[in-house]
Each structure stands twice: as structure tokens, then as C-alpha cells.
Amino acid sequence: FQHNEETMSQTKFNVRKVAVLGAGVMGAQIAAHLVNAKVPTILFDLPAKEGNKNGIVLKALDGLKKLKPSPLSNKDAVAYIEPANYEDHLHLLKDCDLVIEAIAERMDWKADLYHKVAPHLGEHTIFATNTSGLSINKLAESCPDSVRPRFCGVHFFNPPRYMHLVEIIPCVTSDAGMLDNLERFLVSTLGKGVVRAKDTPNFVANRIGVFSMLATIANAEKFGIRFDIVDDLTGPRLGRPKSATFRTADVVGLDTFAHVVKTMDDTLPGDPWHGLFKSPEWLQKLIAAGALGAKTKVGIYKKD
Ligand code: NAD
């Protein structure tokens, strides 16, 4: 990475090593997608309270191996993933060309982590968040000045191995050359289709997708239609066998879904549809009971 005095733009380089922060639903699957493409990846999470400090990551990797079909499609892929935790391994970040943050959708938790991580980033490291819709400019405020030109949103969709789209969301300080380097990597190495989105609440796809889920849920409640019937109507009967309203919420994670809805509620007060942007009471009850969807095996649906 060099600063060209005239353009102050990052020079062209190839991403050779990546760190993913957060081994949850998205982080673990993004890491799997990277190693399937033979990109060495360090997967971080909080240190486990008991036993092996990398326990959270190891459990996530185990979960990936058990999924059918496993997102680790290449049998050698797992050898490219290095498990890590924020207590012991932050020094490893300096060798990563790209760091993707994929921890829970909470501005305050992400800000805390950025303070912890920023001093360890290499001089040229691209630092990108997988947030579903939090403000990238606001998140950039938690990065030091030296990191802000290398910060942006990189929004993968769930499940990342099947979803072609990735949104890149620049913040006002994002360096143009850095964005080009990131886009080239996503397209050439990971085979993604990239859309550059503005830093508006939930960006493009979630603004439409979550709106449509909330409108469907509101109508289901209004007309008393059972969730599985709604899913049949909005899934297979529309020719989308894997995608339907309530099942999608389970796959996303009900807590994450509720956070995304809250972002819309908080940031779009003048929207004519603002009344829709609330988590229904039954959703809040499920979350309070720890029924978070596929990741806890019970949510709106139960998974065996
Ligand atoms: P998740 O709840 O499955 O996993 C979150 C991970 O963050 C966990 O492994 C947890 O241990 C870790 N974590 C929690 N608090 C932390 C903290 N204070 N510091 C560091 N790590 C912490 O969440 P997810 O669904 O993987 O979502 C991760 C990010 O990706 C969020 O920003 C979310 O909005 C976004 N996203 C989610 C989806 C989806 O479908 N789930 C899709 C696209 C983007």
C-alpha cells in the first residue's frame, strides 16, 4: 500500500490473506467461502470462557462440517482456516490484506471491537464491515484517522456460498483505489457480483427485502394466515423453493432480523411505511426465550 501524493489512492494489489472477525452465521460461512477459493483465512471470535480459548470458532467450524451440504465444499479447505481469538491473536492481523468484521449487529459492540483491532491492522489492510444496514459513516467514526480511508461496508448475503450479490458501501473517507482492490478481489477471486451502494439505512437489498418481509408478516397477522402457509405462498409457489418469509427470518437469525428492523425504525422516522418497522411481539418473545432460529435449532420453526 502506498499513498500517491496526487491522488492519495491505494495502489493496485491482490488480497492474499483475510481475517474474519466473528464466527457466527455469516462470519463462519464467509470464512468457508474464502477457503473454498483457497484464500488463507483467520477466523476470530471472543475467547471461550472455559476450555480452549478458540472454542467458539472451533464449534462454528464443526457446525459447518455437519451442514448438508457442507459449505466447506473443498475437502482441503479447512486446512486454510486458522482459528483465533481476540485475546491471544490480534497480532496476526498485520499480515492480512483484508479484515471483514461480522460480529453481532450492534453499533456499540462493533465500535468497541474497532478500538481493540485498529492498532493491529497492517498499513495497507482493507477493513470492511458486513453490517446488514448500520451506517458505515457512523461506524467509520470508531476507526482512527489512519484506518478510515481503508474502511467500508462489504455486505455478503446469507448463505454467502449461494448468494451472488455483495454490496460494497463506501463511507465518505473510503479511498477509491482501496474500493477497486476490494471489488477486484470479490469478483475475480470469489466470483461475486458487486453493487456499490450508498450509505443509506439497510443499503439496497435489505431495504427492499426486509420491507417486503415486514409487509408480508403484517398482512399474515391481519388476515390470520399461518406462517407455514405464508411460507408456501411466498416460497415454492413463487418458484423460490429455499426462500420464504418466516423461514428466511429463521435462517437470518431472529435476533439479527430484529436488529435490522430496529435500524429501520431508528433511522427512517419520516418514511411513509414507518409504522411497519417494528418487531412483532411474538418475535420479541421468541428472542427473549433464546429461540433465535436455525442457529439455535429452534425459532419460528424447529430444526431436528
Ligand atoms: P451471529 O449472531 O450469528 O454471530 C455473531 C458473532 O459475533 C458470534 O459468534 C458472537 O460470539 C460474536 N460477538 C458477539 N458479541 C461480540 C462482541 N461484543 N465482540 C466481538 N464479537 C462478538 O450474527 P450473524 O448473523 O453472523 O451477523 C453478523 C453480522 O453480519 C451482523 O452485522 C449482521 O447484521 C450481518 N449480516 C447477517 C446476515 C444474516 O443473514 N444473519 C446477513 C448479512 C449480514
Side-chain angles (χ1 to χ4, degrees):
F1 176 72
Q2 285 167 354
H3 269 127
N4 171 321
E5 288 305 319
E6 268 175 27
T7 60
M8 291 297 284
S9 198
Q10 192 174 51
T11 49
K12 196 168 168 179
F13 77 91
N14 292 326
V15 171
R16 291 152 307 177
K17 188 166 187 180
V18 179
V20 178
L21 311 179
V25 171
M26 287 305 284
Q29 293 195 78
I30 293 169
H33 193 61
L34 287 160
V35 295
N36 284 339
K38 298 204 156 99
V39 180
T41 299
I42 311 175
L43 180 58
F44 280 82
D45 210 299
L46 297 166
K49 290 200 181 81
E50 283 159 20
N52 187 330
K53 279 204 229 162
N54 295 334
I56 296 180
V57 174
L58 295 173
K59 199 168 160 210
L61 292 177
D62 227 39
L64 289 180
K65 283 185 223 157
K66 284 185 189 141
L67 279 179
K68 286 193 182 94
S70 171
L72 289 161
S73 60
N74 173 344
K75 72 173 171 36
D76 303 324
V78 84
Y80 285 86
I81 299 189
E82 193 175 342
N85 69 75
Y86 305 123
E87 212 168 280
D88 301 326
H89 301 119
L90 285 178
H91 63 280
L92 299 176
L93 293 176
K94 70 173 189 322
D95 295 328
C96 296
D97 302 308
L98 168 65
V99 174
I100 299 173
E101 173 273 305
I103 70 159
E105 186 73 339
R106 289 268 309 253
M107 182 78 79
D108 49 347
W109 294 356
K110 288 185 192 288
D112 279 353
L113 187 68
Y114 293 5
H115 290 303
K116 204 186 282 178
V117 157
H120 298 275
L121 298 176
E123 259 176 69
H124 71 280
T125 308
I126 299 171
F127 186 38
T129 172
N130 186 53
T131 177
S132 297
L134 293 172
S135 163
I136 304 299
N137 280 300
K138 195 102 196 98
L139 287 167
E141 288 172 15
S142 299
C143 299
D145 287 350
S146 59
V147 173
R148 280 183 205 173
R150 295 178 272 135
F151 184 72
C152 67
V154 64
H155 186 205
F156 289 83
F157 291 81
N158 187 6
R161 65 190 186 285
Y162 295 133
M163 302 298 278
H164 187 59
L165 176 65
V166 176
E167 291 170 329
I168 289 183
I169 310 103
C171 59
V172 290
T173 49
S174 297
D175 176 275
M178 177 278 287
L179 296 168
D180 290 344
N181 281 330
L182 177 60
E183 179 163 341
R184 215 179 38 257
F185 172 68
L186 293 167
V187 173
S188 316
T189 307
L190 300 187
K192 294 298 183 193
V194 168
V195 164
R196 294 211 186 181
K198 287 188 182 154
D199 186 23
T200 51
N202 287 354
F203 320 128
V204 180
N206 268 347
R207 181 77 165 268
I208 299 166
V210 175
F211 171 83
S212 116
M213 286 169 77
L214 290 171
T216 306
I217 291 169
N219 275 311
E221 286 179 344
K222 183 170 161 193
F223 296 110
I225 311 174
R226 253 185 17 225
F227 64 90
D228 51 332
I229 295 175
V230 172
D231 272 0
D232 185 34
L233 292 171
T234 58
R237 280 174 207 268
L238 284 184
R240 304 189 302 178
K242 293 262 181 204
S243 168
T245 308
F246 291 95
R247 196 170 289 286
T248 297
D250 261 0
V251 169
V252 165
L254 298 184
D255 52 341
T256 303
F257 180 63
H259 285 313
V260 176
V261 173
K262 186 167 182 325
T263 300
M264 295 175 89
D265 187 18
D266 291 346
T267 54
L268 296 165
D271 191 285
W273 296 97
H274 183 257
L276 271 184
F277 307 157
K278 304 273 177 233
S279 290
E281 212 173 302
W282 56 261
L283 180 66
Q284 295 172 35
K285 280 189 183 151
L286 284 174
I287 294 168
L292 304 180
K295 64 183 161 187
T296 56
K297 297 203 168 26
V298 50
I300 299 167
Y301 291 88
K302 237 189 197 153
K303 209 175 160 209
D304 299 326

